[in-house]
């Protein structure tokens, strides 16, 4: 059994509360990604599971074992650090076997484990080099090798890819996912990169300010964010959140007014009930950039709604072009095909899939 | 950092700049001579005979260079009433400096490691207090230290002197190692903890192998300080247990008989030789380690 359970976990550093009562359970074999802005407490949470920080209150279980007072070395965990944290004066070989030496594993057994892991990670060709002579990607692999030889119940990754360049990061991302599929071990992975979270996780826990905002599958997090914070944090460019007022004009609409006039966004059937309860009240309307395109570019459906706005800025990214326009009081972004681009300043006919639009409560930020 | 990178700097050209550079090197050359002159006078005087010293000028080269004065300084010059030269006192100094340097460096390394990698409540306060020790003048501790040594039964012994230098050196050695270890990523220690290593295993197997720059700086600093110390030596030892600095003073400042300048000079050079050797052997690490400490501290 190697599930991980946290019960009412609090962590305070002096008067600062870093983790504020987290209750969460990670299943055996699950790849959980803790994601959140810097300073949200995700690394602290990982350190608590590792035993590198002491709990202020609450309980942590690994499997059936209460580990609150068990030191890191006896928790049967392994950790990969952001800075790799390789021992600079030791060779790759010694870096990987240091833990086994400390635990007095017989040398033959050490060599066997070393061979197995280094071959798996393709680092067997530079065992005698020191970390200083390795590239970033190689160091990353050695750090993972050091974790793998432990055969731990739980792997902890603390932003392991953030020091790599963009290309290597994508390669290693795939490799970590492959490794998880091969080993089937529980992985808790901390990152601030929401793309990493989306691509790797079987479940994502979005953290903010010491709380877990939402813990769900990547699809759910993306399509059904619990509140404004999750909605804005996941997705790049982030969701357009515009303030409007619910009106009944035959059907329920969200009226957005700005200098260029007013637009009535018709609400899909799914949102009629919350809309009816809030007639004439303010709400936040959330629309992801990729749901806003050139008129006629998406598959026709009853929920398509088109409107006109002037383009403020054009930002090509290669596969897509971002069109920035003013809507309500925000700079909204539409993600269109590169061939659909227009000059900045031009009037543009946008089309939005209101079937994917979200409504949020103005006061609580909760999704309706 | 390589030589090529330094040499590759584009410099302004032209006659004016050339003149300025020549002037620069001329002035630098004068400074070099100014600093070398005392050493030259000492070496050349020590190789002269007493007659030649009385007759000739200070700067003239020795006519018949010989090492008689050196031999006398080493084994037969009179320190007070005993005429065994500097040799026994040299060994006193060695017997004092080696343990004092080793103990204070080891403790400083442990302190620096504990203060940075095993943070505890009040660590900063303790460090601040230890640092304060670096600013306490020698004279202030003389009397309390004499009393302490007396109570410990170490008064007038080389062991007592080792104790004094170890305690006094801790402020500096802790400072050097703390500044070095604070630049070492905490992740390395955390990784070692997860690997199952404890306080001392992490210290000896992970931290200390990384620390040669800090070790070299600390050893040179401590060696120089302790070897050259005169005040503690003269205050806390008597006669036979005097360190070489005190013995040198007794040779040079003797008020009886003829003043033997050549023997005085030779003795002074002999007494300074060990620190000189340490600088020559480990000097480049010294500069490197100081720079590293300054950047990361």
């Amino acid at each position: 059994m190697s599930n991980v359970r946290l019960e009412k976990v609090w962590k305070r550093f002096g008067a600062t509360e870093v983790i504020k009562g987290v209750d969460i359970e990670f299943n055996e074999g699950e790849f959980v990604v803790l994601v959140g802005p810097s300073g949200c407490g995700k690394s602290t949470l990982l350190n608590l599971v590792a035993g590198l920080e002491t709990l202020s209150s609450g309980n942590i279980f690994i499997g059936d074992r209460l580990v609150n007072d068990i030191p890191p070395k006896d928790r049967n965990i392994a950790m990969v650090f952001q800075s790799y944290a390789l021992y600079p004066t030791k060779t790759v070989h010694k870096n990987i076997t240091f833990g086994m030496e400390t635990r007095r594993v017989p040398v033959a057994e050490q060599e066997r484990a070393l061979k197995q892991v280094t071959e798996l990670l393709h680092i067997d060709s530079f065992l005698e080099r020191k970390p200083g002579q390795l590239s970033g990607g190689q160091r990353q692999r050695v750090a993972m090798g050091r974790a793998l030889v432990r055969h731990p119940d739980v792997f902890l990754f603390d932003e392991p890819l953030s020091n790599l360049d963009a290309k290597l990061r994508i390669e290693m991302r795939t490799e970590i996912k492959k490794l998880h599929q091969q080993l089937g071990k529980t992985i808790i992975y901390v990152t601030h990169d929401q793309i990493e979270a989306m691509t790797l996780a079987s479940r994502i826990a979005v953290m903010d300010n010491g709380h877990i905002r939402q813990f769900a599958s990547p699809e759910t997090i993306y399509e059904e964010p619990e509140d404004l914070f999750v909605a804005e944090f996941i997705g790049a460019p982030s969701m357009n959140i515009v303030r409007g007022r619910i009106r009944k004009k035959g059907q329920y609409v969200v009226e957005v007014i700005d200098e260029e006039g007013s637009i009535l966004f018709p609400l899909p059937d799914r949102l009629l009930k919350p809309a009816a309860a809030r007639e004439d009240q303010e709400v936040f309307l959330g629309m992801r950039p990729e749901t806003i395109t050139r008129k006629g570019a998406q598959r026709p459906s009853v929920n398509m709604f088109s409107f006109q706005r002037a383009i403020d800025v054009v930002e090509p990214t290669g596969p897509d072009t971002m069109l920035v326009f003013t809507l309500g009081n925000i700079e909204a972004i539409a993600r269109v095909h590169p061939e659909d681009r227009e000059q900045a300043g031009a009037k543009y006919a946008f089309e939005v899939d209101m079937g994917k639009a979200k409504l949020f409560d103005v006061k609580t930020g909760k999704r309706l | 950092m390589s030589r090529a990178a330094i040499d590759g700097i584009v410099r302004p050209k032209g006659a004016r700049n050339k003149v300025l550079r020549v002037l620069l090197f001329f002035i630098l050359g004068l400074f070099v001579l100014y600093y070398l002159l005392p050493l030259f006078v000492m070496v050349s005087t020590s190789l002269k005979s007493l007659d030649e010293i009385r007759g000739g000028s200070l700067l003239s080269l020795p006519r018949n260079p010989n090492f008689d004065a050196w031999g006398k300084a080493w084994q037969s010059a009179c320190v007070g009433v005993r005429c065994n030269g500097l040799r026994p006192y040299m060994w006193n100094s060695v017997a004092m400096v080696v343990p004092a340097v080793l103990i204070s460096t080891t403790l400083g390394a442990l302190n620096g490691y504990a203060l940075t990698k095993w943070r505890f409540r009040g660590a900063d306060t303790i460090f601040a207090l230890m640092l304060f020790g670096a600013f306490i003048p020698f004279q202030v501790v003389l009397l309390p230290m004499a009393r302490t040594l007396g109570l410990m039964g170490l008064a007038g012994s080389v062991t007592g002197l080792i104790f004094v230098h170890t305690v006094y050196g801790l402020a500096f050695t802790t400072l050097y190692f703390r500044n070095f270890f604070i630049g070492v990523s905490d992740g390395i220690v955390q990784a070692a903890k997860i690997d199952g290593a404890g306080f001392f295993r992490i210290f000896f197997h992970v931290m200390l192998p990384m620390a040669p720059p800090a070790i070299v700086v600390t050893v040179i600093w401590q060696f120089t300080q302790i070897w050259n110390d005169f005040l503690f030596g003269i205050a806390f030892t008597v006669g036979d247990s005097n360190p070489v600095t005190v013995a040198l003073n007794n040779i040079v400042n003797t008020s009886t008989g003829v003043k033997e300048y050549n023997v005085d000079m030779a003795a002074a050079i002999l007494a300074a030789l060990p620190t000189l050797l340490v600088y020559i052997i480990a000097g480049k690490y010294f500069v490197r380690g100081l720079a590293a400490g300054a950047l990361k501290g």
Side-chain angles (χ1 to χ4, degrees):
Chain A
M1 281 293 283
S2 54
N3 60 327
V4 177
R5 187 152 50 92
L6 282 70
E7 281 179 0
K8 300 193 184 59
V9 165
W10 285 77
K11 177 65 186 174
R12 303 179 191 87
F13 292 106
T16 6
E17 295 174 336
V18 183
I19 305 289
K20 302 170 185 168
V22 166
D23 277 291
I24 197 168
E25 179 162 4
F26 311 127
N27 299 327
E28 180 163 14
E30 201 173 18
F31 197 134
V32 180
V33 175
L34 299 176
V35 68
S38 30
C40 71
K42 54 194 191 301
S43 288
T44 308
L45 197 65
L46 195 73
N47 285 344
L48 286 171
V49 175
L52 295 170
E53 301 276 5
T54 318
L55 283 170
S56 298
S57 68
N59 290 318
I60 296 178
F61 295 89
I62 296 178
D64 297 330
R65 203 157 57 121
L66 180 66
V67 296
N68 289 12
D69 298 317
I70 296 179
K73 66 186 171 84
D74 299 324
R75 293 192 181 196
N76 208 16
I77 45 141
M79 191 156 171
V80 177
F81 296 85
Q82 177 180 2
S83 56
Y84 317 129
L86 298 177
Y87 311 127
T89 54
K90 294 184 189 300
T91 61
V92 170
H93 180 144
K94 289 283 173 196
N95 259 283
I96 294 175
T97 55
F98 180 69
M100 292 190 285
E101 272 172 32
T102 309
R103 294 194 304 280
R104 303 184 196 286
V105 174
V107 175
E109 170 68 11
Q110 286 184 25
E111 292 300 316
R112 203 188 51 73
L114 174 81
K115 191 162 165 354
Q116 190 191 357
V117 162
T118 51
E119 278 170 11
L120 178 71
L121 292 168
H122 310 293
I123 51 177
D124 42 343
S125 56
F126 44 84
L127 286 180
E128 295 315 313
R129 280 196 227 163
K130 299 244 171 101
Q133 300 162 295
L134 303 178
S135 70
Q138 289 169 330
R139 282 181 212 177
Q140 185 59 63
R141 280 166 200 274
V142 175
M144 291 197 338
R146 189 170 62 179
L148 283 176
V149 283
R150 285 213 68 169
H151 294 294
D153 291 335
V154 182
F155 283 102
L156 307 173
F157 285 87
D158 189 5
E159 309 210 12
L161 303 184
S162 46
N163 284 358
L164 299 178
D165 64 61
K167 182 168 172 286
L168 210 51
R169 198 178 307 166
I170 292 171
E171 279 177 32
M172 290 303 288
R173 201 167 73 196
T174 315
E175 206 134 327
I176 290 177
K177 192 158 190 177
K178 247 195 242 164
L179 215 55
H180 176 248
Q181 286 164 0
Q182 276 176 26
L183 301 169
K185 288 285 172 67
T186 313
I187 293 182
I188 306 176
Y189 185 108
V190 163
T191 180
H192 61 263
D193 180 342
Q194 42 94 15
I195 307 249
E196 252 171 54
M198 292 294 290
T199 48
L200 287 170
S202 43
R203 279 201 290 172
I204 297 178
V206 182
M207 284 192 71
D208 174 40
N209 202 11
H211 295 285
I212 303 243
R213 288 302 187 103
Q214 190 171 5
F215 183 38
S217 71
E219 296 76 19
T220 313
I221 295 265
Y222 195 76
E223 289 302 337
E224 298 163 30
E226 202 115 292
D227 56 21
L228 271 177
F229 178 82
V230 178
E232 282 186 290
F233 189 77
I234 301 288
S238 65
M239 188 186 278
N240 301 304
I241 310 271
V242 53
R243 195 183 271 266
R245 200 175 279 279
I246 292 188
R247 302 282 187 200
K248 187 162 188 188
K249 304 270 164 98
Q251 64 178 122
Y252 284 102
V253 297
V254 175
E255 183 184 39
V256 175
I257 303 174
D258 60 25
E259 286 164 2
E260 290 184 64
S262 91
I263 300 176
L264 304 174
F265 290 95
L267 290 173
D269 296 346
R270 183 169 57 82
L271 293 172
L272 290 187
K273 226 176 105 193
R278 286 176 173 74
E279 198 176 327
D280 292 329
Q281 291 177 20
E282 281 205 316
V283 288
F284 282 119
L285 172 65
M287 297 174 289
R288 292 217 178 267
E290 69 270 17
T291 65
I292 309 176
T293 52
R294 184 180 61 84
K295 189 176 179 186
Q298 296 183 62
R299 253 183 294 153
S301 89
V302 288
N303 289 321
M304 289 301 165
F305 168 72
S306 72
F307 60 97
Q308 281 217 334
R309 272 295 184 261
I311 302 171
D312 292 338
V313 179
V314 179
E315 296 174 343
T317 65
D320 295 300
T321 295
M322 307 295 164
L323 302 181
V324 182
F325 60 98
T326 310
L327 183 66
N329 292 317
I330 65 153
E331 306 235 288
I333 294 177
R335 189 172 196 155
V336 304
H337 287 299
E339 54 267 31
D340 290 344
R341 63 181 289 181
E342 286 273 354
Q343 292 299 316
K347 277 273 181 206
Y348 196 90
F350 292 99
E351 181 176 68
V352 53
D353 182 358
M354 290 304 290
K356 293 196 170 163
K358 281 104 180 123
L359 285 183
F360 299 92
D361 190 281
V362 175
K363 285 199 197 73
T364 63
K366 293 279 179 218
R367 189 169 56 89
L368 304 174
Chain B
M1 288 304 130
S2 68
R3 180 161 297 242
I6 297 165
D7 286 348
I9 295 171
V10 177
R11 294 202 176 85
K13 290 194 170 61
R16 199 178 110 86
N17 285 303
K18 206 160 224 165
V19 171
L20 282 176
R21 282 199 86 70
V22 170
L23 190 67
L24 173 71
F25 280 101
F26 175 72
I27 293 170
L28 288 177
L30 282 183
F31 277 115
V32 169
L33 285 179
Y34 181 74
Y35 274 89
L36 279 178
L37 202 58
L39 181 66
F40 167 78
V41 171
M42 281 180 74
V43 173
S44 94
T45 307
S46 75
L47 297 176
K48 291 174 185 171
S49 68
L50 262 184
D51 288 339
E52 191 182 345
I53 292 171
R54 283 195 211 94
S57 101
L58 196 63
L59 289 176
S60 66
L61 284 167
R63 275 193 302 267
N64 304 307
N66 63 75
F67 285 91
D68 294 350
W70 287 68
K72 189 170 183 199
W74 181 243
Q75 53 196 5
S76 60
C78 292
V79 179
V81 287
R82 275 175 299 274
C83 294
N84 298 324
L86 275 184
R87 192 169 51 183
Y89 304 98
M90 258 333 223
W91 293 125
N92 279 349
S93 273
V94 171
M96 165 192 75
V97 83
V98 171
V101 167
L102 288 182
I103 297 170
S104 62
T105 304
T106 310
L107 289 179
L110 267 173
N111 283 348
Y113 163 63
L115 284 170
T116 52
K117 299 300 168 212
W118 295 75
R119 312 261 323 144
F120 49 92
R121 195 183 299 271
D124 284 333
T125 315
I126 288 183
F127 177 63
L129 288 174
M130 295 208 70
L131 198 57
F132 187 62
F135 299 105
I136 298 176
F138 278 27
Q139 308 85 287
V140 173
V141 298
L142 278 183
L143 285 174
M145 187 58 88
R147 176 99 182 105
T148 309
L149 288 178
L151 288 175
M152 291 169 76
L154 294 175
S157 68
V158 173
T159 318
L161 208 51
I162 293 172
F163 176 76
V164 175
H165 281 302
T166 302
V167 171
Y168 207 87
L170 273 182
F172 296 94
T173 58
T174 303
L175 172 69
Y176 288 138
F177 278 101
R178 185 254 181 205
N179 282 0
F180 180 81
F181 285 140
I182 206 157
V184 172
S185 153
D186 288 346
I188 291 177
V189 176
Q190 295 182 334
K193 282 185 199 171
I194 288 180
D195 265 344
F199 183 87
F200 284 103
R201 187 166 164 84
I202 296 176
F203 178 66
F204 285 111
H205 289 263
V206 179
M207 300 303 277
L208 218 48
M210 298 171 68
I215 295 173
V216 169
V217 170
T218 312
V219 166
I220 293 186
W221 176 266
Q222 281 298 94
F223 187 93
T224 315
Q225 290 295 309
I226 298 173
W227 186 274
N228 287 343
D229 165 71
F230 179 74
L231 186 60
F232 285 160
I234 200 167
F236 299 134
T237 57
V238 283
D240 285 344
S241 57
N242 277 344
V244 72
T245 42
V246 177
L248 175 67
N249 176 67
N250 292 347
I251 290 180
V252 175
N253 283 344
T254 181
S255 50
T256 53
V258 189
K259 198 128 189 83
E260 297 176 300
Y261 288 106
N262 50 358
V263 176
D264 293 353
M265 298 290 182
I269 296 174
L270 277 174
L273 221 45
T275 47
L276 209 61
L277 280 178
V278 170
Y279 267 106
I280 290 168
I281 294 167
K284 73 176 175 187
Y285 298 101
F286 183 71
V287 175
R288 217 181 278 166
L290 269 190
L295 287 175
K296 286 170 182 167

